[in-house]
Amino acid sequence: LGPHDHTTVYQAILNVSMLDYGLYDQVAFWSATGRQRFRGLEGSIMSHREPTSEAVKVLTFSIPFDQGTLDSIIKAIQSTHSYEEPVIYIMECYATRLNYTLDRDNSNRWWEKSL
């Protein structure tokens, strides 16, 4: 995500899906800020500029497998992201979702540890 995109893009995604995960919603992860570098090739809107380097973040989230939701989220990202062509990686994977109500007294859980 570009320097000003994370809030706008995240809200657009939440307008499509609340990013539920077990007993939580709005579940997402932003990576630490990194740097990206690119050079616009002929035909891109950046082709007239020198190579660009800027600070970016990566937003990661999961959704249940549903093609309609995925299509809507991609459209939401494309319509709110500031880049000509945002990078979107889509991976099918399995996720564990613990039933927290059965495991609340587990001494290994962070809420059971003293700070």
Side-chain angles (χ1 to χ4, degrees):
L1 297 171
H4 308 290
D5 289 330
H6 65 279
T7 302
T8 305
V9 170
Y10 180 64
Q11 187 57 56
I13 293 168
L14 290 179
N15 289 340
V16 174
S17 170
M18 288 304 293
L19 304 180
D20 297 325
Y21 193 87
L23 299 176
Y24 298 88
D25 69 1
Q26 302 182 31
V27 178
F29 171 77
W30 281 270
S31 69
T33 301
R35 296 210 60 88
Q36 76 170 0
R37 185 180 189 285
F38 60 90
R39 180 177 67 165
L41 300 176
E42 186 176 337
S44 78
I45 60 174
M46 300 293 283
S47 62
H48 64 285
R49 297 182 64 185
E50 292 296 314
T52 300
S53 177
E54 62 182 4
V56 296
K57 292 184 178 185
V58 174
L59 171 63
T60 304
F61 58 89
S62 66
I63 60 170
F65 183 78
D66 177 76
Q67 191 63 49
T69 302
L70 177 60
D71 291 344
S72 296
I73 287 176
I74 290 171
K75 287 178 186 172
I77 293 169
Q78 290 173 328
S79 68
T80 55
H81 201 287
S82 63
Y83 290 176
E84 177 181 14
E85 189 173 338
V87 177
I88 302 171
Y89 292 103
I90 301 168
M91 294 177 278
E92 185 176 0
C93 60
Y94 293 97
T96 60
R97 294 192 178 176
L98 178 67
N99 182 344
Y100 293 99
T101 59
L102 301 176
D103 201 31
R104 290 192 183 270
D105 296 328
N106 184 328
S107 63
N108 293 314
R109 303 296 175 237
W110 65 268
W111 60 83
E112 293 291 342
K113 298 188 182 293
S114 59
L115 298 177

